[in-house]
Amino acid sequence: MGIDFELSMLAATIVWGFFQLVAAAQAANVQYGLRWAASPRDVEMPPLKPIPGRINRNFRNYMETFPFFVAAILIAHVAGIHNGLTYWGSIAYLGGRIGYSALYISGVPLVRSLFWNIASFGMLAVLAAPFVTH
């Protein structure tokens, strides 16, 4: 018995999230230095420069939607639902988030919102699957 595709996609989104966490931390460390990274960070620092700031904001944006995706995957899994909505929805979530990240960090406006919407609709498809499947 192997792991369900949707749980594999959840694992992949965790890896993607961890990658973004490390990228955001390293981008801040490059600007602020290792002494700051090892400190209790009690001192107010200047805003991050554009690229490190985008990397950080991208990660924060990811963390706003990720818990909802986790919940949707787990609801579908507990309900025993594995169908086109869960399959393609989980792909759309991860693919949309990866596309959004690339475009946001690159500073591409508008089109990045399309990828945010792809990810969001994917997440909603996974969530809807147990309620629309008979």
Side-chain angles (χ1 to χ4, degrees):
M1 183 164 125
I3 188 169
D4 295 328
F5 177 79
E6 296 84 356
L7 291 178
S8 296
M9 290 300 291
L10 177 57
T13 63
I14 292 168
V15 171
W16 178 244
F18 184 73
F19 174 77
Q20 291 178 92
L21 169 66
V22 170
Q26 291 305 312
N29 290 347
V30 166
Q31 181 174 329
Y32 297 146
L34 292 178
R35 185 173 298 276
W36 169 82
S39 77
R41 302 177 188 176
D42 294 332
V43 177
E44 187 74 28
M45 298 299 286
L48 288 168
K49 294 178 182 177
I51 298 297
R54 286 186 210 140
I55 293 169
N56 187 278
R57 290 187 302 275
N58 174 67
F59 174 64
R60 301 280 175 247
N61 183 276
Y62 177 78
M63 291 306 297
E64 291 172 359
T65 64
F66 178 69
F68 298 111
F69 178 69
V70 172
I73 290 289
L74 294 178
I75 289 168
H77 179 72
V78 169
I81 304 298
H82 309 284
N83 60 23
L85 286 172
T86 60
Y87 182 87
W88 291 108
S90 60
I91 291 171
Y93 179 78
L94 180 57
R97 289 308 314 189
I98 291 170
Y100 176 87
S101 294
L103 293 166
Y104 187 85
I105 292 167
S106 298
V108 177
L110 299 175
V111 176
R112 75 169 192 249
S113 296
L114 171 64
F115 283 84
W116 188 92
N117 284 316
I118 289 169
S120 295
F121 284 118
M123 174 181 54
L124 291 173
V126 173
L127 181 60
F131 300 100
V132 299
T133 303
H134 297 77

